[in-house]
Amino acid sequence: MVLQYRGELIRQILRRCHRAVAATKTSAGLTSFHGVWPPSEKKDFEQDMRIVPDFISEAEEKQLHEEIEPYMSRLRYEFDHWDDAIHGFRETERKKWYPKNRELLERVREVAFNGAIMPYVHILDLAADGVIKPHVDSVRYCGNTISGISLLSDSVMRLVRIDPQKYQQNGSSDNAEDTAYRQQPAALLENNFYADLLLPRRSLYIMSHTARYNFTHEILANEHSKFLGNPVPKTRRISIICRNEP
């Protein structure tokens, strides 16, 4: 009984340490703002869209990759997604993980979520020439926070401001667009404001609240993958994505 108590106490201390370390790592230098941002919106965005560099170590990246690669390598990359949001990808969901990797996902929960995450973790494998088009994940299928670990490659994520009222973000509509897993409003750059975010390999992004609902997000194709004017070559990229309940 004493050993069990001590074990739980140690786990609690480690969780507090992980949160403290993540809090000290900021998105400073990893976000490039474009257009004229209203000050209040920029402040909300900086709170709701965070990047934690070096969230996992090289060894932890290796152990995650080794667990999922045997299954992912048997899948074919698809270039004709049913909702046309992704090209050059393969994906799956996973509920059971090796203990060490379950500990990594628990770290994601502790840092990114105020509560539980959905039991199935989304694994999205994007080929070097793959692209994720601008979209907003439907509120019918996930809650106010989406968080992902980036494996194998750096990439650039772009978030473009939209009017969420035009796309039934309250989830109450019966329109086909509203029931789709991903909505794809036009991500217009002219006379608008948006942000480019550098997602380093082994980083964690946390997209919540205003960033989650009021912006499309996309992973730029290689020909457009630049940050602060510098090319960011994207090779094969795997995202380990956690969400909370709607």
Side-chain angles (χ1 to χ4, degrees):
M1 188 71 178
V2 173
L3 289 176
Q4 183 179 3
Y5 172 77
R6 286 179 177 174
E8 178 58 30
L9 182 61
I10 290 171
R11 284 191 289 272
Q12 290 179 5
I13 293 172
L14 287 174
R15 284 197 290 268
R16 287 197 293 269
C17 289
H18 290 314
R19 287 197 296 269
V21 170
T24 63
K25 296 180 178 180
T26 69
S27 302
L30 298 177
T31 304
S32 176
F33 292 98
H34 302 267
V36 181
W37 282 71
S40 60
E41 292 224 27
K42 187 175 182 181
K43 181 180 178 181
D44 289 342
F45 185 89
E46 290 173 332
Q47 293 176 340
D48 296 339
M49 185 69 214
R50 294 181 288 147
I51 304 169
V52 183
D54 297 316
F55 182 76
I56 60 173
S57 66
E58 291 186 25
E60 289 168 335
E61 178 189 42
K62 184 174 184 290
Q63 74 188 31
L64 275 169
H65 186 220
E66 287 179 344
E67 176 168 356
I68 62 179
E69 182 64 15
Y71 180 79
M72 299 305 293
S73 63
R74 296 199 297 267
L75 303 178
R76 292 184 177 181
Y77 284 109
E78 301 179 38
F79 290 85
D80 187 20
H81 194 268
W82 62 271
D83 67 3
D84 197 41
I86 315 177
H87 291 265
F89 76 102
R90 47 193 181 187
E91 64 183 342
T92 189
E93 292 185 328
R94 193 176 189 93
K95 185 177 183 180
K96 296 182 178 180
W97 295 81
Y98 296 154
K100 286 187 177 180
N101 288 333
R102 173 51 61 186
E103 291 175 7
L104 296 181
L105 296 175
E106 176 63 15
R107 274 166 48 189
V108 174
R109 188 192 71 79
E110 289 288 335
V111 170
F113 296 89
N114 293 319
I117 59 176
M118 296 174 72
Y120 285 92
V121 175
H122 185 198
I123 303 169
L124 180 59
D125 183 344
L126 195 65
D129 58 348
V131 60
I132 302 177
K133 296 182 179 181
H135 68 279
V136 178
D137 293 306
S138 173
V139 295
R140 286 181 180 266
Y141 302 103
C142 54
N144 61 18
T145 302
I146 302 169
S147 186
I149 304 173
S150 298
L151 307 183
L152 305 185
S153 178
D154 301 337
S155 61
V156 178
M157 177 183 281
R158 175 170 290 170
L159 285 88
V160 180
R161 183 67 161 91
I162 57 167
D163 181 357
Q165 298 302 320
K166 293 182 179 179
Y167 303 101
Q168 297 85 36
Q169 284 298 297
N170 59 13
S172 61
S173 172
D174 293 326
N175 293 336
E177 181 179 290
D178 186 49
T179 58
Y181 186 78
R182 301 176 182 91
Q183 299 171 1
Q184 294 181 265
L188 303 177
L189 303 185
E190 187 175 357
N191 299 320
N192 199 1
F193 54 92
Y194 63 98
D196 288 339
L197 296 99
L198 179 61
L199 302 184
R201 181 176 179 175
R202 294 185 292 276
S203 66
L204 177 77
Y205 72 81
I206 306 168
M207 180 192 310
S208 62
H209 303 291
T210 59
R212 155 83 172 91
Y213 298 119
N214 297 350
F215 294 78
T216 61
H217 62 278
E218 61 190 291
I219 296 293
L220 298 182
N222 256 326
E223 59 266 30
H224 304 296
S225 185
K226 294 182 179 182
F227 186 75
L228 298 177
N230 300 308
V232 180
K234 179 182 69 64
T235 59
R236 178 190 177 198
R237 174 182 183 267
I238 298 177
S239 300
I240 310 294
I241 304 170
C242 299
R243 299 177 170 91
N244 56 1
E245 295 284 353

